[in-house]
Amino acid sequence: MENSSNCIPLCSTESKKQDTICIFGTGDFGRSLGFKMLQCGYTIIFGSRNTKSNFLPKWAEVLSHSEAAEKSSIIIVAVHREQYHFLADLTDILKGKVLVDVSNNLKINQYPESNAEYLAKMIPGANVVKAFNTVSAWSLQSGTVDASRQVFLCGDDTKSKQMVMDIVRALGLTPLDQGSLLAANEVENYPLQLFPMWRLPMYICTGFTVLIFLYCVLTEVINPYATTREDTSYLIAISIPNRVFPIVSLILLALVYLPGIIAAILQLFRGTKYSRFPNWLDQWMLCRKQLGLVALAYAFLHAIYTLVMPIRYYVRWWSNKYLILQVTTNTTYPFLNYYAWLSDSYVALGILGFFFYVLLGITSLPSVSNAVNWREFRFVQSKLGYLTLVLCTAHTLVYGGDRFIYGPFYKWYLPPAFVVSLIIPCAVLVMKFIIVIPCLDKRITKIRQGWERNPSCQGALNTDINKTSV
Ligand code: NAP
């Protein structure tokens, strides 16, 4: 990484004279953090193995580790954990000082104890605070506006933690106190996680996409070729994806609501809410927002693919052929009210379904969900969510229309893809319809308010309280 320039722009926060901070290590992170702190009015002293290196910024005062540590009560250790051994010689100097551990590892849970706890054990007299590991050297250099501004920190000494939090705020970042040093392991794992909540939705989505795509290729490309030698492979570019996207989108939307129904059935069956759900159900419920957002993305793709229909060669060719056929046979096909209703209803249901889909997506944005209360959020996500599912299922049912009973659509006795797509959504809607029957709905509400069919078991079950919201 390039050294920061000699010219130091003013910090966005007030540039009053701040404390002196010592930074061990003049690598990428140490230099970036040092420069940012200097902008914000701090005096920076680096502790380094080599005080004469060409890499060192011209604005920096660089001393040996021990000399630098003497000059400040806060020392930021911008060195990899594997090199911490040099700190053992500085135990006396570091006594009573605040040691800020910024280190990250290469793998999640790489060591039995967190780097910060390891540092605290190595220098027992120092007050170790874990901080800054979730901000990158790049974001410190390029300006915090472009990147996450959150600095997770933890430590056992409240006063030391407060001092570090003040520095974080002075840099224009947001400190998030995670508690004692026991939380350091979790804080160190944050930057190593790769979309943890998105993994399951992405697996489900990819699985359904591949399955439905292969199903469509089998029934719409391989079947015509095998039976009549007709080449319909051109359908793979637009027609088949435009079948896959709405089908997977509808299935995923249904899968957002299915775990809530399974949970309600489980609670009804067990007669209590104080019993743990199976792990797979917990995981499934936790990723419902992400499932819904993937479903929305697929609905968007369906809308865009549908818009290009009129400019497709294949569509224009068929419409011209239809026209020419009427001219050459001197006939005018009659206007059928039934089909006019069917096609308009299909499009109207699709548009309305898409509108509510987008509304659901918007309300799941943190800035919007923070502005509504819990009841409003539940109303949108549950009531409007089910309305969206009803509209999209109806859109598919109307699209099916006569096709449900039209023999040629059943290739090799396989139902058309849109029929397959309706299985899960219809099952979800039927189950929902059953559990909102007043006698069942009342019982579920009572259970969720703490009622138990067999209260004698409560003591044993209370240890297993399920905290997942349904
Ligand atoms: P780096 O560029 O490799 O710098 C590490 C520095 O440690 C070196 O410049 C060196 O400074 C010092 N060092 C190396 N070997 C040493 C030894 N045997 N004894 C004493 N000091 C030694 O690494 P970095 O990217 O700045 O990262 C430093 C720490 O910040 C790491 O723990 C990293 O996980 C953490 N971090 C980095 C980033 C980032 O974006 N880079 C983000 C968050 C956290 P001297 O030559 O001056 O002694």
mmCIF file of all heavy atoms in Angstrom, residues 234-279:
data_model
loop_
_atom_site.group_PDB
_atom_site.id
_atom_site.type_symbol
_atom_site.label_atom_id
_atom_site.label_comp_id
_atom_site.label_asym_id
_atom_site.label_seq_id
_atom_site.Cartn_x
_atom_site.Cartn_y
_atom_site.Cartn_z
ATOM 1 N N TYR A 234 -33.385 -22.845 -29.140
ATOM 2 C CA TYR A 234 -33.331 -21.380 -28.957
ATOM 3 C C TYR A 234 -34.117 -20.937 -27.706
ATOM 4 O O TYR A 234 -33.918 -19.848 -27.191
ATOM 5 C CB TYR A 234 -33.903 -20.666 -30.209
ATOM 6 C CG TYR A 234 -35.314 -21.061 -30.529
ATOM 7 C CD1 TYR A 234 -36.390 -20.407 -29.956
ATOM 8 C CD2 TYR A 234 -35.589 -22.122 -31.404
ATOM 9 C CE1 TYR A 234 -37.686 -20.776 -30.231
ATOM 10 C CE2 TYR A 234 -36.880 -22.508 -31.684
ATOM 11 C CZ TYR A 234 -37.925 -21.837 -31.088
ATOM 12 O OH TYR A 234 -39.222 -22.216 -31.350
ATOM 13 N N LEU A 235 -34.995 -21.814 -27.215
ATOM 14 C CA LEU A 235 -35.782 -21.459 -26.008
ATOM 15 C C LEU A 235 -34.898 -21.304 -24.769
ATOM 16 O O LEU A 235 -35.299 -20.684 -23.784
ATOM 17 C CB LEU A 235 -36.841 -22.538 -25.738
ATOM 18 C CG LEU A 235 -37.954 -22.688 -26.779
ATOM 19 C CD1 LEU A 235 -38.879 -23.832 -26.403
ATOM 20 C CD2 LEU A 235 -38.759 -21.397 -26.898
ATOM 21 N N ILE A 236 -33.684 -21.886 -24.863
ATOM 22 C CA ILE A 236 -32.798 -21.871 -23.685
ATOM 23 C C ILE A 236 -32.358 -20.445 -23.315
ATOM 24 O O ILE A 236 -32.069 -20.160 -22.157
ATOM 25 C CB ILE A 236 -31.569 -22.789 -23.950
ATOM 26 C CG1 ILE A 236 -32.030 -24.249 -23.921
ATOM 27 C CG2 ILE A 236 -30.456 -22.573 -22.932
ATOM 28 C CD1 ILE A 236 -30.965 -25.251 -24.254
ATOM 29 N N ALA A 237 -32.346 -19.539 -24.315
ATOM 30 C CA ALA A 237 -31.832 -18.186 -24.037
ATOM 31 C C ALA A 237 -32.809 -17.337 -23.224
ATOM 32 O O ALA A 237 -32.407 -16.683 -22.255
ATOM 33 C CB ALA A 237 -31.485 -17.486 -25.340
ATOM 34 N N ILE A 238 -34.088 -17.339 -23.628
ATOM 35 C CA ILE A 238 -35.022 -16.440 -22.935
ATOM 36 C C ILE A 238 -36.243 -17.184 -22.372
ATOM 37 O O ILE A 238 -36.598 -17.020 -21.204
ATOM 38 C CB ILE A 238 -35.468 -15.286 -23.868
ATOM 39 C CG1 ILE A 238 -34.283 -14.353 -24.097
ATOM 40 C CG2 ILE A 238 -36.633 -14.501 -23.250
ATOM 41 C CD1 ILE A 238 -34.598 -13.080 -24.821
ATOM 42 N N SER A 239 -36.859 -18.015 -23.205
ATOM 43 C CA SER A 239 -38.130 -18.624 -22.766
ATOM 44 C C SER A 239 -37.960 -19.471 -21.511
ATOM 45 O O SER A 239 -38.742 -19.347 -20.562
ATOM 46 C CB SER A 239 -38.703 -19.496 -23.883
ATOM 47 O OG SER A 239 -39.007 -18.686 -24.971
ATOM 48 N N ILE A 240 -36.937 -20.319 -21.503
ATOM 49 C CA ILE A 240 -36.780 -21.213 -20.339
ATOM 50 C C ILE A 240 -36.355 -20.422 -19.094
ATOM 51 O O ILE A 240 -36.972 -20.582 -18.037
ATOM 52 C CB ILE A 240 -35.844 -22.396 -20.678
ATOM 53 C CG1 ILE A 240 -36.585 -23.302 -21.667
ATOM 54 C CG2 ILE A 240 -35.444 -23.161 -19.425
ATOM 55 C CD1 ILE A 240 -35.868 -24.549 -22.085
ATOM 56 N N PRO A 241 -35.345 -19.518 -19.197
ATOM 57 C CA PRO A 241 -35.052 -18.709 -17.999
ATOM 58 C C PRO A 241 -36.293 -17.957 -17.501
ATOM 59 O O PRO A 241 -36.519 -17.841 -16.308
ATOM 60 C CB PRO A 241 -33.976 -17.729 -18.473
ATOM 61 C CG PRO A 241 -33.308 -18.443 -19.591
ATOM 62 C CD PRO A 241 -34.361 -19.278 -20.253
ATOM 63 N N ASN A 242 -37.121 -17.481 -18.455
ATOM 64 C CA ASN A 242 -38.297 -16.734 -18.036
ATOM 65 C C ASN A 242 -39.382 -17.640 -17.453
ATOM 66 O O ASN A 242 -40.409 -17.171 -16.992
ATOM 67 C CB ASN A 242 -38.866 -15.922 -19.205
ATOM 68 C CG ASN A 242 -39.761 -14.797 -18.719
ATOM 69 O OD1 ASN A 242 -39.590 -14.321 -17.591
ATOM 70 N ND2 ASN A 242 -40.723 -14.403 -19.522
ATOM 71 N N ARG A 243 -39.187 -18.924 -17.539
ATOM 72 C CA ARG A 243 -40.064 -19.850 -16.820
ATOM 73 C C ARG A 243 -39.436 -20.181 -15.465
ATOM 74 O O ARG A 243 -40.105 -20.261 -14.447
ATOM 75 C CB ARG A 243 -40.229 -21.142 -17.632
ATOM 76 C CG ARG A 243 -41.680 -21.383 -17.960
ATOM 77 C CD ARG A 243 -41.890 -22.657 -18.690
ATOM 78 N NE ARG A 243 -41.655 -22.565 -20.111
ATOM 79 C CZ ARG A 243 -42.351 -21.791 -20.947
ATOM 80 N NH1 ARG A 243 -43.307 -21.022 -20.479
ATOM 81 N NH2 ARG A 243 -42.096 -21.783 -22.237
ATOM 82 N N VAL A 244 -38.083 -20.343 -15.489
ATOM 83 C CA VAL A 244 -37.371 -20.724 -14.257
ATOM 84 C C VAL A 244 -37.495 -19.612 -13.196
ATOM 85 O O VAL A 244 -37.808 -19.886 -12.036
ATOM 86 C CB VAL A 244 -35.880 -21.008 -14.561
ATOM 87 C CG1 VAL A 244 -35.101 -21.244 -13.271
ATOM 88 C CG2 VAL A 244 -35.747 -22.209 -15.493
ATOM 89 N N PHE A 245 -37.289 -18.348 -13.602
ATOM 90 C CA PHE A 245 -37.272 -17.249 -12.616
ATOM 91 C C PHE A 245 -38.592 -17.120 -11.850
ATOM 92 O O PHE A 245 -38.585 -17.090 -10.621
ATOM 93 C CB PHE A 245 -36.897 -15.921 -13.278
ATOM 94 C CG PHE A 245 -35.490 -15.898 -13.795
ATOM 95 C CD1 PHE A 245 -35.179 -15.348 -15.029
ATOM 96 C CD2 PHE A 245 -34.450 -16.443 -13.055
ATOM 97 C CE1 PHE A 245 -33.880 -15.343 -15.510
ATOM 98 C CE2 PHE A 245 -33.148 -16.446 -13.528
ATOM 99 C CZ PHE A 245 -32.864 -15.889 -14.757
ATOM 100 N N PRO A 246 -39.737 -17.064 -12.554
ATOM 101 C CA PRO A 246 -40.972 -16.923 -11.756
ATOM 102 C C PRO A 246 -41.273 -18.157 -10.918
ATOM 103 O O PRO A 246 -41.777 -18.034 -9.797
ATOM 104 C CB PRO A 246 -42.059 -16.700 -12.822
ATOM 105 C CG PRO A 246 -41.489 -17.211 -14.082
ATOM 106 C CD PRO A 246 -40.016 -17.009 -14.004
ATOM 107 N N ILE A 247 -40.936 -19.348 -11.460
ATOM 108 C CA ILE A 247 -41.236 -20.578 -10.708
ATOM 109 C C ILE A 247 -40.415 -20.610 -9.421
ATOM 110 O O ILE A 247 -40.939 -20.812 -8.325
ATOM 111 C CB ILE A 247 -40.953 -21.826 -11.589
ATOM 112 C CG1 ILE A 247 -42.016 -21.927 -12.674
ATOM 113 C CG2 ILE A 247 -40.912 -23.091 -10.744
ATOM 114 C CD1 ILE A 247 -41.776 -23.028 -13.687
ATOM 115 N N VAL A 248 -39.092 -20.351 -9.547
ATOM 116 C CA VAL A 248 -38.229 -20.396 -8.355
ATOM 117 C C VAL A 248 -38.628 -19.269 -7.399
ATOM 118 O O VAL A 248 -38.670 -19.456 -6.183
ATOM 119 C CB VAL A 248 -36.736 -20.308 -8.748
ATOM 120 C CG1 VAL A 248 -35.857 -20.268 -7.503
ATOM 121 C CG2 VAL A 248 -36.346 -21.492 -9.620
ATOM 122 N N SER A 249 -38.966 -18.109 -7.955
ATOM 123 C CA SER A 249 -39.362 -16.982 -7.115
ATOM 124 C C SER A 249 -40.590 -17.346 -6.286
ATOM 125 O O SER A 249 -40.639 -17.100 -5.077
ATOM 126 C CB SER A 249 -39.652 -15.780 -8.020
ATOM 127 O OG SER A 249 -40.161 -14.738 -7.278
ATOM 128 N N LEU A 250 -41.577 -17.958 -6.929
ATOM 129 C CA LEU A 250 -42.813 -18.331 -6.218
ATOM 130 C C LEU A 250 -42.518 -19.397 -5.153
ATOM 131 O O LEU A 250 -43.024 -19.309 -4.020
ATOM 132 C CB LEU A 250 -43.836 -18.858 -7.237
ATOM 133 C CG LEU A 250 -45.197 -19.245 -6.686
ATOM 134 C CD1 LEU A 250 -45.882 -18.056 -6.018
ATOM 135 C CD2 LEU A 250 -46.108 -19.792 -7.790
ATOM 136 N N ILE A 251 -41.693 -20.373 -5.500
ATOM 137 C CA ILE A 251 -41.367 -21.432 -4.519
ATOM 138 C C ILE A 251 -40.632 -20.818 -3.327
ATOM 139 O O ILE A 251 -40.941 -21.105 -2.173
ATOM 140 C CB ILE A 251 -40.519 -22.550 -5.182
ATOM 141 C CG1 ILE A 251 -41.353 -23.298 -6.228
ATOM 142 C CG2 ILE A 251 -40.007 -23.528 -4.125
ATOM 143 C CD1 ILE A 251 -40.590 -24.329 -7.034
ATOM 144 N N LEU A 252 -39.676 -19.913 -3.604
ATOM 145 C CA LEU A 252 -38.912 -19.306 -2.500
ATOM 146 C C LEU A 252 -39.829 -18.457 -1.610
ATOM 147 O O LEU A 252 -39.701 -18.460 -0.382
ATOM 148 C CB LEU A 252 -37.769 -18.437 -3.034
ATOM 149 C CG LEU A 252 -36.632 -19.170 -3.747
ATOM 150 C CD1 LEU A 252 -35.534 -18.189 -4.132
ATOM 151 C CD2 LEU A 252 -36.027 -20.267 -2.881
ATOM 152 N N LEU A 253 -40.767 -17.738 -2.250
ATOM 153 C CA LEU A 253 -41.696 -16.930 -1.449
ATOM 154 C C LEU A 253 -42.516 -17.843 -0.532
ATOM 155 O O LEU A 253 -42.741 -17.524 0.640
ATOM 156 C CB LEU A 253 -42.613 -16.120 -2.376
ATOM 157 C CG LEU A 253 -43.559 -15.145 -1.682
ATOM 158 C CD1 LEU A 253 -42.784 -14.074 -0.920
ATOM 159 C CD2 LEU A 253 -44.502 -14.475 -2.677
ATOM 160 N N ALA A 254 -42.935 -18.981 -1.073
ATOM 161 C CA ALA A 254 -43.689 -19.933 -0.236
ATOM 162 C C ALA A 254 -42.805 -20.475 0.883
ATOM 163 O O ALA A 254 -43.267 -20.665 2.009
ATOM 164 C CB ALA A 254 -44.214 -21.073 -1.107
ATOM 165 N N LEU A 255 -41.511 -20.669 0.567
ATOM 166 C CA LEU A 255 -40.600 -21.204 1.590
ATOM 167 C C LEU A 255 -40.324 -20.189 2.708
ATOM 168 O O LEU A 255 -39.846 -20.547 3.769
ATOM 169 C CB LEU A 255 -39.269 -21.622 0.951
ATOM 170 C CG LEU A 255 -39.327 -22.867 0.042
ATOM 171 C CD1 LEU A 255 -37.947 -23.208 -0.476
ATOM 172 C CD2 LEU A 255 -39.919 -24.058 0.786
ATOM 173 N N VAL A 256 -40.609 -18.903 2.427
ATOM 174 C CA VAL A 256 -40.465 -17.886 3.485
ATOM 175 C C VAL A 256 -41.539 -18.121 4.551
ATOM 176 O O VAL A 256 -41.299 -17.941 5.744
ATOM 177 C CB VAL A 256 -40.610 -16.467 2.883
ATOM 178 C CG1 VAL A 256 -40.696 -15.411 3.976
ATOM 179 C CG2 VAL A 256 -39.443 -16.164 1.944
ATOM 180 N N TYR A 257 -42.728 -18.547 4.120
ATOM 181 C CA TYR A 257 -43.850 -18.676 5.061
ATOM 182 C C TYR A 257 -44.020 -20.096 5.600
ATOM 183 O O TYR A 257 -44.669 -20.288 6.620
ATOM 184 C CB TYR A 257 -45.134 -18.161 4.387
ATOM 185 C CG TYR A 257 -44.991 -16.670 4.163
ATOM 186 C CD1 TYR A 257 -44.612 -16.157 2.920
ATOM 187 C CD2 TYR A 257 -45.101 -15.791 5.231
ATOM 188 C CE1 TYR A 257 -44.389 -14.798 2.748
ATOM 189 C CE2 TYR A 257 -44.884 -14.430 5.067
ATOM 190 C CZ TYR A 257 -44.532 -13.942 3.824
ATOM 191 O OH TYR A 257 -44.298 -12.610 3.661
ATOM 192 N N LEU A 258 -43.425 -21.073 4.916
ATOM 193 C CA LEU A 258 -43.584 -22.469 5.352
ATOM 194 C C LEU A 258 -43.022 -22.733 6.761
ATOM 195 O O LEU A 258 -43.700 -23.395 7.568
ATOM 196 C CB LEU A 258 -42.945 -23.401 4.305
ATOM 197 C CG LEU A 258 -43.135 -24.892 4.536
ATOM 198 C CD1 LEU A 258 -44.604 -25.262 4.663
ATOM 199 C CD2 LEU A 258 -42.510 -25.708 3.397
ATOM 200 N N PRO A 259 -41.834 -22.234 7.125
ATOM 201 C CA PRO A 259 -41.325 -22.565 8.464
ATOM 202 C C PRO A 259 -42.215 -22.038 9.593
ATOM 203 O O PRO A 259 -42.342 -22.687 10.624
ATOM 204 C CB PRO A 259 -39.936 -21.918 8.510
ATOM 205 C CG PRO A 259 -39.904 -20.944 7.408
ATOM 206 C CD PRO A 259 -40.849 -21.437 6.366
ATOM 207 N N GLY A 260 -42.858 -20.878 9.377
ATOM 208 C CA GLY A 260 -43.765 -20.333 10.394
ATOM 209 C C GLY A 260 -44.934 -21.286 10.608
ATOM 210 O O GLY A 260 -45.385 -21.500 11.743
ATOM 211 N N ILE A 261 -45.391 -21.883 9.503
ATOM 212 C CA ILE A 261 -46.521 -22.816 9.601
ATOM 213 C C ILE A 261 -46.076 -24.100 10.291
ATOM 214 O O ILE A 261 -46.766 -24.623 11.182
ATOM 215 C CB ILE A 261 -47.078 -23.100 8.187
ATOM 216 C CG1 ILE A 261 -47.726 -21.819 7.650
ATOM 217 C CG2 ILE A 261 -48.085 -24.231 8.215
ATOM 218 C CD1 ILE A 261 -48.184 -21.906 6.232
ATOM 219 N N ILE A 262 -44.885 -24.592 9.923
ATOM 220 C CA ILE A 262 -44.373 -25.819 10.564
ATOM 221 C C ILE A 262 -44.208 -25.571 12.067
ATOM 222 O O ILE A 262 -44.570 -26.413 12.894
ATOM 223 C CB ILE A 262 -43.029 -26.254 9.925
ATOM 224 C CG1 ILE A 262 -43.249 -26.615 8.451
ATOM 225 C CG2 ILE A 262 -42.435 -27.434 10.675
ATOM 226 C CD1 ILE A 262 -41.985 -26.950 7.690
ATOM 227 N N ALA A 263 -43.692 -24.366 12.403
ATOM 228 C CA ALA A 263 -43.494 -24.038 13.821
ATOM 229 C C ALA A 263 -44.831 -24.019 14.554
ATOM 230 O O ALA A 263 -44.952 -24.552 15.671
ATOM 231 C CB ALA A 263 -42.804 -22.682 13.948
ATOM 232 N N ALA A 264 -45.859 -23.447 13.920
ATOM 233 C CA ALA A 264 -47.186 -23.386 14.557
ATOM 234 C C ALA A 264 -47.723 -24.800 14.758
ATOM 235 O O ALA A 264 -48.275 -25.113 15.822
ATOM 236 C CB ALA A 264 -48.130 -22.560 13.687
ATOM 237 N N ILE A 265 -47.550 -25.664 13.749
ATOM 238 C CA ILE A 265 -48.044 -27.048 13.870
ATOM 239 C C ILE A 265 -47.305 -27.766 15.006
ATOM 240 O O ILE A 265 -47.909 -28.461 15.815
ATOM 241 C CB ILE A 265 -47.868 -27.800 12.522
ATOM 242 C CG1 ILE A 265 -48.789 -27.166 11.464
ATOM 243 C CG2 ILE A 265 -48.183 -29.279 12.674
ATOM 244 C CD1 ILE A 265 -48.572 -27.655 10.056
ATOM 245 N N LEU A 266 -45.988 -27.535 15.083
ATOM 246 C CA LEU A 266 -45.194 -28.166 16.154
ATOM 247 C C LEU A 266 -45.680 -27.713 17.523
ATOM 248 O O LEU A 266 -45.827 -28.520 18.449
ATOM 249 C CB LEU A 266 -43.725 -27.778 15.994
ATOM 250 C CG LEU A 266 -42.826 -28.727 15.200
ATOM 251 C CD1 LEU A 266 -41.414 -28.167 15.125
ATOM 252 C CD2 LEU A 266 -42.781 -30.099 15.865
ATOM 253 N N GLN A 267 -45.938 -26.399 17.647
ATOM 254 C CA GLN A 267 -46.384 -25.870 18.934
ATOM 255 C C GLN A 267 -47.764 -26.413 19.305
ATOM 256 O O GLN A 267 -48.020 -26.746 20.464
ATOM 257 C CB GLN A 267 -46.397 -24.338 18.888
ATOM 258 C CG GLN A 267 -44.992 -23.767 18.860
ATOM 259 C CD GLN A 267 -44.954 -22.250 18.747
ATOM 260 O OE1 GLN A 267 -45.883 -21.627 18.250
ATOM 261 N NE2 GLN A 267 -43.866 -21.668 19.195
ATOM 262 N N LEU A 268 -48.615 -26.531 18.283
ATOM 263 C CA LEU A 268 -49.953 -27.098 18.529
ATOM 264 C C LEU A 268 -49.833 -28.542 18.992
ATOM 265 O O LEU A 268 -50.486 -28.977 19.935
ATOM 266 C CB LEU A 268 -50.753 -27.071 17.227
ATOM 267 C CG LEU A 268 -51.639 -25.878 16.958
ATOM 268 C CD1 LEU A 268 -52.307 -26.029 15.598
ATOM 269 C CD2 LEU A 268 -52.712 -25.748 18.030
ATOM 270 N N PHE A 269 -48.966 -29.287 18.317
ATOM 271 C CA PHE A 269 -48.787 -30.699 18.602
ATOM 272 C C PHE A 269 -48.184 -30.899 19.993
ATOM 273 O O PHE A 269 -48.626 -31.742 20.763
ATOM 274 C CB PHE A 269 -47.877 -31.283 17.514
ATOM 275 C CG PHE A 269 -47.553 -32.731 17.702
ATOM 276 C CD1 PHE A 269 -48.516 -33.713 17.472
ATOM 277 C CD2 PHE A 269 -46.281 -33.118 18.107
ATOM 278 C CE1 PHE A 269 -48.208 -35.042 17.657
ATOM 279 C CE2 PHE A 269 -45.970 -34.450 18.295
ATOM 280 C CZ PHE A 269 -46.943 -35.424 18.066
ATOM 281 N N ARG A 270 -47.190 -30.051 20.337
ATOM 282 C CA ARG A 270 -46.535 -30.201 21.636
ATOM 283 C C ARG A 270 -47.327 -29.553 22.762
ATOM 284 O O ARG A 270 -47.090 -29.823 23.939
ATOM 285 C CB ARG A 270 -45.143 -29.548 21.596
ATOM 286 C CG ARG A 270 -44.167 -30.280 20.693
ATOM 287 C CD ARG A 270 -42.925 -29.430 20.523
ATOM 288 N NE ARG A 270 -41.833 -30.124 19.867
ATOM 289 C CZ ARG A 270 -40.704 -29.543 19.498
ATOM 290 N NH1 ARG A 270 -40.530 -28.252 19.729
ATOM 291 N NH2 ARG A 270 -39.747 -30.219 18.913
ATOM 292 N N GLY A 271 -48.207 -28.613 22.401
ATOM 293 C CA GLY A 271 -49.018 -27.931 23.403
ATOM 294 C C GLY A 271 -48.208 -26.971 24.259
ATOM 295 O O GLY A 271 -48.605 -26.630 25.373
ATOM 296 N N THR A 272 -47.075 -26.509 23.755
ATOM 297 C CA THR A 272 -46.248 -25.554 24.498
ATOM 298 C C THR A 272 -45.310 -24.830 23.527
ATOM 299 O O THR A 272 -45.013 -25.337 22.453
ATOM 300 C CB THR A 272 -45.398 -26.259 25.577
ATOM 301 O OG1 THR A 272 -44.557 -25.295 26.203
ATOM 302 C CG2 THR A 272 -44.516 -27.355 24.987
ATOM 303 N N LYS A 273 -44.884 -23.634 23.957
ATOM 304 C CA LYS A 273 -43.851 -22.971 23.141
ATOM 305 C C LYS A 273 -42.478 -23.117 23.795
ATOM 306 O O LYS A 273 -41.469 -22.694 23.242
ATOM 307 C CB LYS A 273 -44.193 -21.503 22.916
ATOM 308 C CG LYS A 273 -44.061 -20.618 24.128
ATOM 309 C CD LYS A 273 -44.138 -19.162 23.701
ATOM 310 C CE LYS A 273 -43.850 -18.219 24.848
ATOM 311 N NZ LYS A 273 -43.770 -16.838 24.458
ATOM 312 N N TYR A 274 -42.474 -23.686 25.043
ATOM 313 C CA TYR A 274 -41.207 -23.813 25.763
ATOM 314 C C TYR A 274 -40.476 -25.106 25.412
ATOM 315 O O TYR A 274 -40.103 -25.884 26.282
ATOM 316 C CB TYR A 274 -41.465 -23.738 27.268
ATOM 317 C CG TYR A 274 -42.118 -22.443 27.655
ATOM 318 C CD1 TYR A 274 -43.416 -22.419 28.138
ATOM 319 C CD2 TYR A 274 -41.444 -21.234 27.509
ATOM 320 C CE1 TYR A 274 -44.031 -21.231 28.479
ATOM 321 C CE2 TYR A 274 -42.056 -20.039 27.845
ATOM 322 C CZ TYR A 274 -43.342 -20.043 28.321
ATOM 323 O OH TYR A 274 -43.944 -18.859 28.648
ATOM 324 N N SER A 275 -40.325 -25.341 24.149
ATOM 325 C CA SER A 275 -39.608 -26.538 23.722
ATOM 326 C C SER A 275 -38.882 -26.177 22.438
ATOM 327 O O SER A 275 -39.450 -25.526 21.565
ATOM 328 C CB SER A 275 -40.621 -27.654 23.479
ATOM 329 O OG SER A 275 -39.963 -28.774 23.010
ATOM 330 N N ARG A 276 -37.650 -26.584 22.373
ATOM 331 C CA ARG A 276 -36.814 -26.160 21.253
ATOM 332 C C ARG A 276 -37.292 -26.697 19.908
ATOM 333 O O ARG A 276 -37.707 -27.848 19.821
ATOM 334 C CB ARG A 276 -35.396 -26.665 21.491
ATOM 335 C CG ARG A 276 -34.433 -25.577 21.291
ATOM 336 C CD ARG A 276 -33.013 -25.903 21.503
ATOM 337 N NE ARG A 276 -32.319 -24.703 21.918
ATOM 338 C CZ ARG A 276 -32.231 -23.601 21.204
ATOM 339 N NH1 ARG A 276 -32.785 -23.539 20.025
ATOM 340 N NH2 ARG A 276 -31.597 -22.566 21.657
ATOM 341 N N PHE A 277 -37.219 -25.842 18.885
ATOM 342 C CA PHE A 277 -37.475 -26.331 17.532
ATOM 343 C C PHE A 277 -36.242 -27.095 17.066
ATOM 344 O O PHE A 277 -35.138 -26.824 17.543
ATOM 345 C CB PHE A 277 -37.702 -25.157 16.563
ATOM 346 C CG PHE A 277 -38.980 -24.406 16.809
ATOM 347 C CD1 PHE A 277 -39.005 -23.030 16.741
ATOM 348 C CD2 PHE A 277 -40.152 -25.079 17.095
ATOM 349 C CE1 PHE A 277 -40.169 -22.323 16.961
ATOM 350 C CE2 PHE A 277 -41.328 -24.387 17.322
ATOM 351 C CZ PHE A 277 -41.338 -23.005 17.259
ATOM 352 N N PRO A 278 -36.415 -28.008 16.106
ATOM 353 C CA PRO A 278 -35.217 -28.672 15.561
ATOM 354 C C PRO A 278 -34.287 -27.620 14.957
ATOM 355 O O PRO A 278 -34.756 -26.569 14.499
ATOM 356 C CB PRO A 278 -35.774 -29.588 14.474
ATOM 357 C CG PRO A 278 -37.253 -29.558 14.588
ATOM 358 C CD PRO A 278 -37.655 -28.442 15.483
ATOM 359 N N ASN A 279 -33.012 -27.915 14.947
ATOM 360 C CA ASN A 279 -32.007 -26.961 14.459
ATOM 361 C C ASN A 279 -32.276 -26.478 13.041
ATOM 362 O O ASN A 279 -32.136 -25.293 12.728
ATOM 363 C CB ASN A 279 -30.628 -27.616 14.489
ATOM 364 C CG ASN A 279 -29.812 -27.036 15.597
ATOM 365 O OD1 ASN A 279 -30.207 -26.031 16.194
ATOM 366 N ND2 ASN A 279 -28.690 -27.651 15.884
#
